[in-house]
Amino acid sequence: MMTRYLSELNIGETSIIAGFDTSRVKDKEFAADLEDRLLEIGFEEGLSIEVLHQGPIGGDPIAVKIGTMTIALRKMEAAAIILGEQQ
Amino acid sequence: MTALRVALIGAPNSGKSSLFNTLTGSHQKVANYPGVTVERRSGTMTTEGGHEVKILDLPGIYSLNDRSLDEKVSREIITGVHEMEKQPEVLVCVINASNIRVHLRLVLELKTLGLPMIVALNMHDLAARDGIEIDVSRLSEELGLPVITTIAVRRSGVEALKEFLDRDASAYTKPMGIKSDTSTRALQKEAGRITSLVQVSEGGHHKMTRILDSVALHPVIGPILFFVILFFMFQAVFSWAETPMDLIEGSFVALGELIGENLPDNWLRSFIQDGLIAGVGSVLVFLPQIIILFLFILTLEASGYMARAAFIMDKLMAKVGLNGRAFIPLLSSFACAIPGIMATRTIANHRDRITTIMIAPLMTCSARLPVYTLMIAAFIPNKPVLGYFGLQGVVFFTLYLAGIISAIIVAAVMKKTITKGTLQPFLMELPKYQMPRLNHVLLELWQRVRAFLRRAGTIILYAAIALWALTLYPFAPKDATEPDIYYSFAGMIGRALQPIFAPLGFNWEISIALVPGMAAREVAVSALGTVYALQGDEDQVAQSLSTVLQNSWPLPTALAFLAWYIYAPQCLATLATARRETNSWRWTAFMAGYLFALAYLVAMIVNISAKALMA
């Protein structure tokens, strides 16, 4: 099965965070501490995630639910989040 | 007995600022750390037992990785190496009970720094309402730290914490059982472990937030709602502020006249009337707009909506290399750049914030309208263009558009050069919606107002007095053939500048008028009136000025003058506010410099090309 990333998830879809792949982000400097930043705000392997909203232009940024939190992030950032098996 | 030094620390949305506000009430001070834009909030509180406690509210951060200035300053203070701030004796780490998994990581990270620490488990009530149950004594046991539950927005909700702080510094002990591996991942793992142990029930998503977000973040309804809110906000700024502004202006004029009637005609009267009173008036006149705009902004921020507005606008602002949060400050700058620049505080990233401050004066503020109106009425015939539109309206629109397009270009250039840096993630938590607390909103409003009056106000006042002196002295000779201002220092400066302004098509009258016109843009109209020695009140001067200008200025000069006003920072209050908000004279000088350079360049191009076209 193809690896899926958070940026490919549609509104209402639920999945599990499986890991991070910041090499998918073009800007290397930006990618350097992206994983730490994602971890700090609450993205963590094994947590369940749901896409709640998408921005009005190009569906970017997106808002996701993790636990009791809603977190907003750009698709570019979401592209570095690997999803696991769908429930 | 010396006061206990306590520092509050916590992640964004932990309710730390509310806790600070409730603990210190009106006993607080907001300033900047030297040389940086990081805000220093401090206050005092007295405990039941008579202990005085000094509370420092550190910036909201997720970690101490030194990635941002906020993190760097916080780390320096906590470890006691900050150049100005004394090391706190006790840390109070505020964590949101609804989100302990994330916030515990910061607690664990702070614990490694070795200061005595108390954990304030905040918004306990809201978490319980969402079905989240936490075993507080177990949490305290696992962390090896005292844990106190708080409800920051209520005075009764902070009593336990206040009681705990009611003792001498020596009574607090350093935390035990420090783990050596402090990588984000290791801390995360430990935080996860503790969370699973102490969180009795997980609870669900905040229902109200989910319902409100389905409207506020709806791809179609969301933006509509946003623009309705904005429309209402600006309607309020313009219409509600008008009456108090007129009132302030009117009463200062009346006060000036009253003094004029009761004092002998000498320099002192002129100083009080035209220097001091006019100066104070020019500061206070901005207050109604600042108050109304910030009442809206602070309420939206406290309710949690501001993060949603940033979400909606992010894609658009990202195209310019800015963050969604830059939109409201820039839009506010169409009313007045001063509250706009002050509103940039919601932009967390310092480089983005500086960029936004730098381009804010390019938004056509309401003070340019008198200048634009005068020039357009005098020089642009109102003939129809393309059938529907009047030429005057088209010129008006072009002036606004030129400002916006220039701002986009300047922002893009800045982001590639001087404010260049690693791309900043948009990543942010959308907080739960909350009913804004009126007393907290008013407290923060008062801080903004006080900051403006104190820091910007004093600079504006001094500058107004200096300009008064420049335009009055020295007096004109008895056999003067030109208006008085011609012989004054302002006149001398203006005449000296005239050769420089010649390529723009500016005559000596304009060059002189630009000197007192530094005070504020709309002053240009009355300054021109003075230079052309016109008499009467404001409206009469504008009326007769229109005729005078028509007869004495060629069209290219008039167009160049309009172009000049799109860019020129002819507003000391804006520069004073930029100085206060950037906390840097260099950025202020950069702002003035680049705007004058653009003004000069564009006005010259307009003058030369208009001449060429008409030849």
Side-chain angles (χ1 to χ4, degrees), chain B residues 102 183 323 457 479:
Chain B
V102 172
S183 68
N323 181 292
D479 54 349

Side-chain angles (χ1 to χ4, degrees), chain B residues 281-490:
Chain B
S282 71
V283 175
L284 292 184
V285 78
F286 291 111
L287 274 189
Q289 280 189 347
I290 290 178
I291 289 173
I292 294 169
L293 193 71
F294 273 98
L295 215 50
F296 274 91
I297 289 179
L298 292 170
T299 308
L300 290 178
E301 185 78 54
S303 70
Y305 182 77
M306 217 48 149
R308 274 79 184 176
F311 182 89
I312 290 169
M313 292 314 298
D314 184 65
K315 189 76 184 177
L316 212 59
M317 299 306 290
K319 289 194 199 306
V320 200
L322 288 172
N323 181 292
R325 289 202 173 244
F327 187 75
I328 288 196
L330 289 177
L331 197 66
S332 309
S333 301
F334 279 104
C336 175
I338 294 161
I341 289 172
M342 288 169 75
T344 59
R345 282 196 197 174
T346 55
I347 305 170
N349 179 265
H350 296 269
R351 281 191 300 263
D352 281 3
R353 183 165 169 224
I354 294 279
T355 313
T356 312
I357 291 176
M358 290 300 130
I359 62 171
L362 286 172
M363 303 294 128
T364 303
C365 70
S366 51
R368 285 177 176 96
L369 293 181
V371 181
Y372 286 0
T373 314
L374 170 73
M375 302 305 295
I376 288 174
F379 290 95
I380 311 293
N382 202 14
K383 59 181 179 203
V385 196
L386 299 170
Y388 297 102
F389 310 103
L391 184 60
Q392 290 186 336
V394 171
V395 171
F396 239 115
F397 179 73
T398 311
L399 291 168
Y400 270 83
L401 200 65
I404 297 169
I405 292 171
S406 305
I408 293 173
I409 296 170
V410 171
V413 171
M414 278 184 75
K415 294 292 284 182
K416 287 208 168 59
T417 55
I418 43 177
T419 51
K420 188 182 172 169
T422 317
L423 194 63
Q424 288 302 312
F426 175 64
L427 203 58
M428 67 172 177
E429 190 185 341
L430 299 179
K432 286 177 187 162
Y433 287 99
Q434 266 181 315
M435 203 51 169
R437 297 270 156 168
L438 185 65
N439 51 350
H440 287 185
V441 168
L442 291 180
L443 199 64
E444 302 218 353
L445 178 67
W446 167 237
Q447 284 165 2
R448 299 295 199 286
V449 168
R450 195 167 61 171
F452 171 74
L453 289 181
R454 267 229 193 125
R455 306 290 288 278
T458 40
I459 304 179
I460 302 168
L461 180 61
Y462 291 148
I465 292 170
L467 283 177
W468 160 81
L470 285 179
T471 46
L472 189 67
Y473 296 104
F475 293 126
K478 289 246 155 17
D479 54 349
T481 48
E482 305 288 353
D484 290 354
I485 193 172
Y486 184 86
Y487 304 97
S488 70
F489 288 120

Side-chain angles (χ1 to χ4, degrees), chain B residues 39-69:
Chain B
E39 211 169 43
R40 180 187 188 274
R41 283 155 55 92
S42 61
T44 56
M45 117 189 147
T46 313
T47 60
E48 200 85 340
H51 283 88
E52 207 197 323
V53 181
K54 275 190 186 162
I55 302 177
L56 184 67
D57 185 17
L58 294 172
I61 50 174
Y62 285 106
S63 74
L64 291 168
N65 279 334
D66 284 8
R67 264 190 312 242
S68 68
L69 282 171

Side-chain angles (χ1 to χ4, degrees), chain A residues 33 35 40 68 70 72 74, chain B residues 65 67 98 185 314 428 430:
Chain A
D33 60 4
E35 184 169 330
E40 278 168 18
T68 56
T70 312
R74 289 183 183 149
Chain B
N65 279 334
R67 264 190 312 242
S98 308
R185 216 164 256 286
D314 184 65
M428 67 172 177
L430 299 179

